[in-house]
Amino acid sequence: MALTVASDGVHLAAYRPRAPASVANGGSAPGTVDEAGYYQWHGDESSVASRTSGALTGYETLDSPPHYDFYANTEVWGRRRRFRPSLYQLYATPEDDSRPPLYEETAGGRMDREGDSSEDEEEDGPPPEPTRFGWVQGVMIRCMLNIWGVILYLRLPWITAQAGVGLTWVIILLSSCITGITGLSTSAIATNGKVKGGGTYFLISRSLGPELGGSIGLIFAFANAVAVAMHTVGFAETVTDMMRENGVAMVDRTNDIRIIGIITVTCLLGISMAGMAWESKAQVLFFLVIMVSFASYIVGTILPPSPQKQAKGFLSYKADIFATNFVPDWRGKDGSFFGMFSIFFPSATGILAGANISGDLKNPAVAIPRGTLMAIFWTTISYIIITATVGACLVRDASGLVNDTLAPSSSSNSCVSLACHYGWDFTECINNNTCAYGISNYYQSMSMVSAFAPLITAGIFGATLSSALACLVSAPKVFQCLCKDKLYPFIGFFGKGYGKNEEPLRSYLLAYIIAVCFILIAELNTIAPIISNFFLCSYSLINFSCFHASITNSPGWRPSFRFYSKWLSLLGAVCCVVIMFLLTWWAALIAFGVVFILLGYTLYKRPAVNWGSSVQASSYNLALNQCVGLNHVEDHVKNYRPQCLVLTGPPSSRPALVDLVACFTKSLSLMMCANVVTAGPSTSAVEQACSETHVTWLNQRKVKSFYRGVVATELRSGVNMLLQGAGLGRMKPNVLLMGFKTDWLSDCPQAAHNYIGILHDAFDLQYGVGVLRMRERLDISQPSQLHVNSGFDGSPENIHIISAAPRIKTSTTSSVSIEAASQPSTVFQEKQGKKTIDVYWLSDDGGLTLLLPYLLTRRKRWARCKVRVFVGGDADKKEEQKEEILALIKKFRLGFHHVEVLPDIYQSPRPQNVDRFEDMVGHFKMTTNPKQEQPRQQSKPWTLDNEDLERNKAKSLRQIRLNEVLQDYSRDAALIVVTMPVGRRGVCPSSLYLAWLDVLSRDLRPPVLLVRGNQENVLTFYCQ
């Protein structure tokens, strides 16, 4: 049948979601929401209309089109934030009044306005926009300045003389490969989501988690603070040497370095605290100075050299000079490839200077990859060019004496230097090792070659001061983010930000104090390797973060930067570690020692943060693979473990049951606390069943247990769902534990019948069963709490509560949160001393009755308890039966040495106890017409008649007698474990079976655990 929409005049466009006019036009007052139009606006802001009808038609829906607000954690000033409707709101009836507000006021608009004060009018405008930088000024220039340093000007020519041009290029390219791989890893991490402030610490911590992220963040911030002192001292040493060359001195060389260094770092602090805008302008100025110095050097290599420069080894571009300098000429104790590499590599670091101010970038996801990789590329090119020009223009040795020219009359055979071909004879100083110039001897070769030497000095100043300034900005920014995360104590004070840029002024002062302390040393040759190792440790962890996030195959790992390889990142991480030990092995050990100490502290404290790290993803992968791998492992009795499904309700309501089961499952087998909320399907019932507060309570109690909650119309059906559906693969429960229903006589008969039905369901599914009964109250929850199911056990008769009931806080969303202080103590948390665990092994159930007490004795608090095993027997064969049971237990290797045979369990019970039992079951006894008996049994299966009592008389009398025996032998035991009797379905009514359990365990001071295995072996004395 066709739908004739057009002919009926129905237009679907009329039913599209529309925005209420008050919201779309901004007509409503800030802080108010037009509730009449609440359900009508889920479209975009271009749909401007209001609706007068309150009814929902078949075409109208709460579904909203995709929108940024649904996924964002932040808010935009001046616009109310949208919220995606919940699933329950989509399918619930329109009359349902559980509607959350569609909008919330942003930080710019206040919800609560009390009058129109003048202050409110002044603050109505948008907040000032903080300074943000692009990829050139914010990342590339900053990284290039931090990479270029004193080594570029003072050590690169010397390294070229030692290693030759060829191997120097290898050193440069190897260093650039490592930093390039780290740059690719940084780019991948930085583009996998929105990056905030915190730089290197933020990247590592959000990728690998707080354990490694926190430790590396702390040492990285400290290393940057010390690096400020190192670069400042380098600047101060250069200034001091210039002063001494001109005959100027303040005190002595060491104190002059201290004075100049402190003045310099104070000026840098002023620039930093003035704001990122001023700091960025200073960096641009330093960058221009360095570029001018480079230009001066290149021009100087092209200009014809003066005789003075020629005497110092500068002979302009010559092919044979380049060929000679292309091969290595190792000299001194550091004359080796790795020796030169260790000296050069620190000049390739500094690639994280841009990432460290990620919070001040316009678009970190674009700026960090582009700026970092471009900085690595251009600095590598500059190093290669300078190496090539130095190797082509300067000889290795020169005397610097203008008179050392080659005389026309002298023989060319006696001249051993390459300079002989160009009219210079440096043979004497070469043979005597007294040459003061040449790239092998003179560190200021670049200054000598330059067209204007002071520009090289200015470049040295610019490189040192820019690096110091970059580190002085990086350290506080990283440390501020670390402080705000509160991973370590006593540092939160330094996390406060000031101004529109949230400048960490307190962290600036702390970094300044650390820098001043190290400047006062005035000699950082011993601390410099540690700084380099800390930086390399950071690079290694960044590469490992990228590899780890990739290898876990987490769906959340989706970096927009695609030009990376997980195996290349792993190679980079390994290379960084190797280089750490090649540079200074003892400094590498110190760096790793500090990392492991901080790592251990964080693992011990376990901060309450959840960043979706790759460690969490790998934990899931590992657990999943291990669970799937168990499918290939067949069950064997030697590997049997009691995997317990514990019907606790909310775990906080029955702490004694939780503590007992935790004693024999901790670090051994599966424990799962189960909660059945008896209610119809609703959001509140699901919240009660699945609330995270239950898991939080277990974690606070340090109980290693899972939690599973279900919603069902009745208790038995909910438990049946848990029995069949709980667990994963072979990690599924095989033992059901629950509390005894002490109120079965006062509760409705159907509840008692369902309780016994749960036991029968467990037996049908081949579960072992345990039932705990205590004189103290098992359920300590408040009766008024609807989410606590009273079917697991009932309210006891006069009892002594060990501790006060936990305080419960209910939030406005009906979720239950339990305070950390509500951890009641139970008898199972105490040390049991030299008491006894009495095991009544009355029927063979496969050995579960013996196994559970054995597992208890493996715990420290139960280790001193003596296990006594009681069995039934004949008086005339008592010793023979005792030896037989002892031999059997010895083969099981349980360590139980005390066995007692009880012939008196077969005696008749006391008459008064029999009378009390008959009074107990009399509530369910009913005399009926035999013709009506079958329909009655179907409608009320818990009722009893004389035939039922006569058929089960022997078993009833035995349970009464067993209770008398328990009271005689186990009055002072720490725990009584008894084999649970089994009532045959259809023969033993549920009320009679429950009466057996009641009379067997009542009036006993120690806790009683009724245990029944599934009649399959859980113990064996074979080795295969």
Side-chain angles (χ1 to χ4, degrees):
M1 177 179 178
L3 294 176
T4 57
V5 176
S7 61
D8 293 340
V10 179
H11 301 283
L12 295 181
Y15 296 94
R16 66 184 177 187
R18 298 179 182 275
S22 59
V23 174
N25 296 327
S28 60
T32 63
V33 177
D34 184 4
E35 296 183 359
Y38 167 76
Y39 275 127
Q40 289 77 51
W41 186 33
H42 288 274
D44 55 24
E45 294 182 1
S46 62
S47 301
V48 181
S50 60
R51 217 193 77 169
T52 56
S53 175
L56 289 174
T57 71
Y59 288 108
E60 290 173 308
T61 175
L62 297 180
D63 277 337
S64 299
H67 197 274
Y68 174 86
D69 282 354
F70 299 158
Y71 300 91
N73 294 329
T74 56
E75 299 171 339
V76 179
W77 188 93
R79 178 170 63 82
R80 295 175 184 172
R81 183 179 174 187
R82 305 182 183 188
F83 287 89
R84 182 191 300 111
S86 68
L87 183 62
Y88 182 75
Q89 291 168 349
L90 291 178
Y91 71 79
T93 58
E95 292 78 13
D96 191 352
D97 196 28
S98 61
R99 303 173 178 175
L102 181 60
Y103 300 104
E104 286 185 359
E105 281 295 324
T106 64
R110 294 171 299 279
M111 290 294 292
D112 301 322
R113 295 201 173 193
E114 300 178 359
D116 297 326
S117 63
S118 58
E119 294 182 359
D120 291 344
E121 293 176 358
E122 292 177 358
E123 296 179 2
D124 280 343
E129 187 69 20
T131 304
R132 295 286 186 254
F133 305 108
W135 69 273
V136 175
Q137 186 178 358
V139 181
M140 189 185 75
I141 291 179
R142 189 176 301 273
C143 288
M144 292 176 70
L145 289 173
N146 216 23
I147 293 172
W148 287 328
V150 178
I151 291 177
L152 168 66
Y153 292 96
L154 302 182
R155 291 294 183 271
L156 188 57
W158 176 74
I159 293 173
T160 304
Q162 290 270 354
V165 175
L167 286 182
T168 303
W169 283 351
V170 173
I171 292 173
I172 293 171
L173 294 176
L174 181 59
S175 302
S176 298
C177 283
I178 294 173
T179 56
I181 292 172
T182 306
L184 294 176
S185 300
T186 304
S187 301
I189 298 173
T191 58
N192 188 50
K194 190 174 182 180
V195 179
K196 298 181 180 180
T200 306
Y201 161 70
F202 186 89
L203 297 179
I204 296 178
S205 63
R206 269 52 177 183
S207 181
L208 281 180
E211 295 82 8
L212 282 174
S215 58
I216 204 63
L218 194 60
I219 65 173
F220 187 75
F222 177 78
N224 271 281
V226 178
V228 175
M230 184 178 66
H231 294 299
T232 305
V233 168
F235 168 79
E237 286 182 351
T238 305
V239 174
T240 301
D241 292 340
M242 290 179 58
M243 291 171 57
R244 292 193 171 273
E245 289 177 3
N246 293 279
V248 179
M250 289 181 286
V251 187
D252 54 58
R253 187 176 187 277
T254 301
N255 287 315
D256 288 354
I257 292 174
R258 291 170 177 166
I259 295 171
I260 296 172
I262 292 176
I263 294 173
T264 303
V265 78
T266 303
C267 295
L268 294 178
L269 176 67
I271 296 174
S272 301
M273 297 185 70
M276 289 299 297
W278 284 96
E279 186 269 346
S280 182
K281 293 175 182 177
Q283 294 284 27
V284 172
L285 177 61
F286 292 141
F287 180 77
L288 294 176
V289 170
I290 293 176
M291 295 307 295
V292 170
S293 70
F294 283 169
S296 175
Y297 166 74
I298 297 298
V299 171
T301 62
I302 299 174
L303 295 175
S306 64
Q308 290 78 10
K309 290 186 178 181
Q310 292 183 19
K312 295 180 180 179
F314 175 39
L315 302 176
S316 191
Y317 289 101
K318 307 295 181 183
D320 53 352
I321 295 179
F322 182 80
T324 303
N325 288 336
F326 193 83
V327 295
D329 180 22
W330 307 116
R331 301 181 186 182
K333 62 178 183 179
D334 294 328
S336 65
F337 177 83
F338 287 109
M340 294 300 105
F341 182 85
S342 64
I343 293 174
F344 172 80
F345 186 78
S347 67
T349 60
I351 61 172
L352 299 178
N356 286 337
I357 62 164
S358 54
D360 297 298
L361 301 175
K362 292 179 181 178
N363 190 350
V366 174
I368 292 176
R370 187 179 298 176
T372 302
L373 297 178
M374 289 298 290
I376 295 173
F377 174 77
W378 288 117
T379 53
T380 302
I381 294 297
S382 67
Y383 285 143
I384 291 176
I385 292 175
I386 292 175
T387 301
T389 55
V390 165
C393 296
L394 289 92
V395 295
R396 284 191 168 102
D397 298 291
S399 63
L401 301 177
V402 179
N403 295 329
D404 282 350
T405 57
L406 186 63
S409 60
S410 61
S411 174
S412 60
N413 294 330
S414 62
C415 186
V416 298
S417 168
L418 182 63
C420 299
H421 301 292
Y422 305 103
W424 293 90
D425 185 7
F426 303 134
T427 304
E428 182 179 355
C429 74
I430 292 175
N431 293 332
N432 298 331
N433 292 325
T434 58
C435 294
Y437 292 92
I439 54 176
S440 291
N441 309 294
Y442 187 49
Y443 291 151
Q444 300 285 348
S445 296
M446 287 184 65
S447 179
M448 182 263 294
V449 172
S450 174
F452 186 59
L455 289 178
I456 298 297
T457 304
I460 296 174
F461 289 173
T464 54
L465 293 179
S466 63
S467 297
L469 187 58
C471 293
L472 187 57
V473 171
S474 299
K477 294 284 186 180
V478 173
F479 192 61
Q480 181 188 36
C481 184
L482 180 64
C483 294
K484 288 184 176 180
D485 288 337
K486 300 178 180 179
L487 299 183
Y488 301 107
F490 314 120
I491 63 174
F493 171 80
F494 299 99
K496 182 176 177 57
Y498 296 88
K500 60 181 181 180
N501 273 34
E502 288 290 314
E503 294 292 342
L505 299 184
R506 296 176 179 176
S507 297
Y508 275 127
L509 292 175
L510 178 63
Y512 171 77
I513 293 172
I514 295 173
V516 167
C517 292
F518 282 90
I519 287 173
L520 293 177
I521 299 175
E523 179 58 55
L524 296 179
N525 288 339
T526 56
I527 200 68
I530 299 179
I531 298 175
S532 297
N533 275 273
F534 280 162
F535 285 143
L536 279 170
C537 192
S538 303
Y539 297 165
S540 177
L541 282 177
I542 287 180
N543 284 309
F544 182 74
S545 299
C546 182
F547 166 76
H548 197 265
S550 303
I551 204 70
T552 55
N553 293 322
S554 173
W557 175 250
R558 302 185 304 274
S560 57
F561 183 83
R562 300 293 183 182
F563 304 101
Y564 74 96
S565 169
K566 57 185 177 184
W567 302 114
L568 203 59
S569 297
L570 179 62
L571 176 64
V574 173
C575 288
C576 288
V577 174
V578 171
I579 292 172
M580 288 176 66
F581 285 93
L582 289 177
L583 292 177
T584 313
W585 64 268
W586 57 266
L589 292 177
I590 291 176
F592 280 111
V594 173
V595 169
F596 288 136
I597 290 174
L598 295 175
L599 173 64
Y601 176 83
T602 312
L603 288 174
Y604 175 75
K605 286 295 184 180
R606 293 191 177 276
V609 294
N610 183 11
W611 296 326
S613 65
S614 61
V615 173
Q616 294 172 315
S618 65
S619 299
Y620 174 85
N621 280 356
L622 181 62
L624 181 62
N625 292 332
Q626 293 294 332
C627 286
V628 173
L630 285 177
N631 291 336
H632 304 286
V633 179
E634 296 183 1
D635 291 333
H636 194 282
V637 63
K638 286 173 61 178
N639 294 325
Y640 175 85
R641 298 166 186 260
Q643 303 188 110
C644 302
L645 178 66
V646 193
L647 300 184
T648 59
S652 59
S653 64
R654 294 171 179 83
L657 183 59
V658 172
D659 292 338
L660 175 63
V661 179
C663 285
F664 53 76
T665 62
K666 183 179 181 181
S667 302
L668 173 75
S669 60
L670 173 71
M671 175 181 175
M672 182 178 293
C673 295
N675 180 20
V676 178
V677 176
T678 53
S682 65
T683 53
S684 59
V686 172
E687 287 178 0
Q688 292 171 9
C690 304
S691 175
E692 287 294 327
T693 55
H694 303 308
V695 178
T696 302
W697 186 88
L698 290 170
N699 292 337
Q700 291 172 347
R701 203 170 182 83
K702 298 182 180 179
V703 173
K704 295 182 178 180
S705 171
F706 294 98
Y707 170 81
R708 180 69 183 274
V710 297
V711 179
T713 55
E714 61 178 3
L715 176 64
R716 182 177 179 181
S717 62
V719 174
N720 203 294
M721 286 191 293
L722 291 167
L723 290 172
Q724 298 186 63
L728 180 66
R730 295 191 183 275
M731 295 287 295
K732 59 183 179 181
N734 53 26
V735 177
L736 174 70
L737 285 112
M738 58 196 301
F740 181 73
K741 186 172 180 59
T742 54
D743 67 339
W744 69 281
L745 289 174
S746 58
D747 203 352
C748 65
Q750 182 65 49
H753 177 71
N754 289 340
Y755 180 85
I756 296 300
I758 292 174
L759 300 181
H760 287 308
D761 292 342
F763 291 142
D764 289 340
L765 295 170
Q766 293 296 300
Y767 272 71
V769 174
V771 177
L772 176 65
R773 183 173 187 177
M774 300 174 60
R775 287 188 62 194
E776 294 82 8
R777 189 175 185 177
L778 266 184
D779 182 5
I780 64 171
S781 61
Q782 297 293 337
S784 60
Q785 286 179 255
L786 299 179
H787 70 283
V788 176
N789 196 312
S790 60
F792 292 124
D793 59 36
S795 301
E797 60 278 5
N798 285 324
I799 57 173
H800 172 67
I801 299 178
I802 298 178
S803 61
R807 292 171 287 176
I808 306 294
K809 298 190 300 183
T810 305
S811 65
T812 55
T813 58
S814 300
S815 62
V816 181
S817 60
I818 303 172
E819 296 180 1
S822 59
Q823 291 289 347
S825 61
T826 66
V827 66
F828 299 115
Q829 292 180 314
E830 304 170 357
K831 289 187 176 181
Q832 303 300 321
K834 294 185 178 181
K835 297 181 181 179
T836 62
I837 300 176
D838 291 350
V839 181
Y840 289 82
W841 196 20
L842 306 177
S843 303
D844 197 328
D845 60 349
L848 185 63
T849 306
L850 288 180
L851 181 61
L852 295 184
Y854 166 73
L855 296 178
L856 280 179
T857 57
R858 295 173 60 177
R859 302 300 172 195
K860 184 181 295 185
R861 68 187 66 161
W862 296 86
R864 302 180 65 187
C865 291
K866 180 175 68 174
V867 178
R868 300 189 300 176
V869 180
F870 297 88
V871 295
D874 300 328
D876 53 349
K877 298 181 180 180
K878 184 174 181 179
E879 291 301 322
E880 180 182 345
Q881 292 175 343
K882 177 179 179 179
E883 293 299 325
E884 181 180 348
I885 297 298
L886 270 175
L888 179 60
I889 293 177
K890 185 177 180 180
K891 289 183 177 182
F892 288 146
R893 308 173 305 281
L894 296 174
F896 302 163
H897 305 291
H898 187 93
V899 174
E900 189 165 345
V901 179
L902 301 176
D904 51 351
I905 64 172
Y906 300 109
Q907 297 176 2
S908 299
R910 300 185 185 95
Q912 60 269 26
N913 292 333
V914 176
D915 293 341
R916 187 169 63 172
F917 176 79
E918 292 178 349
D919 292 339
M920 182 188 304
V921 300
H923 297 84
F924 302 93
K925 190 174 181 181
M926 182 178 297
T927 303
T928 60
N929 190 336
K931 296 181 180 181
Q932 301 176 351
E933 182 175 356
Q934 188 64 25
R936 177 187 58 81
Q937 290 293 336
Q938 294 178 355
S939 60
K940 298 180 180 181
W942 53 81
T943 56
L944 299 170
D945 56 19
N946 291 329
E947 184 179 351
D948 294 327
L949 294 176
E950 189 64 28
R951 186 188 304 123
N952 297 281
K953 181 177 180 180
K955 284 190 175 181
S956 299
L957 294 177
R958 180 173 180 176
Q959 311 312 318
I960 301 172
R961 176 56 187 160
L962 283 176
N963 178 260
E964 297 174 355
V965 172
L966 263 60
Q967 295 194 42
D968 292 338
Y969 286 90
S970 303
R971 187 176 302 274
D972 298 322
L975 177 67
I976 301 175
V977 182
V978 189
T979 304
M980 179 192 295
V982 177
R984 186 180 296 273
R985 181 184 289 144
V987 177
C988 177
S990 58
S991 57
L992 181 59
Y993 186 22
L994 195 49
W996 289 354
L997 303 182
D998 190 354
V999 72
L1000 174 61
S1001 59
R1002 73 182 299 119
D1003 298 333
L1004 294 171
R1005 188 201 63 79
V1008 180
L1009 181 63
L1010 306 175
V1011 179
R1012 169 63 69 164
N1014 62 357
Q1015 302 302 115
E1016 295 182 2
N1017 289 348
V1018 300
L1019 296 174
T1020 182
F1021 42 76
Y1022 295 107
C1023 61
Q1024 65 178 11

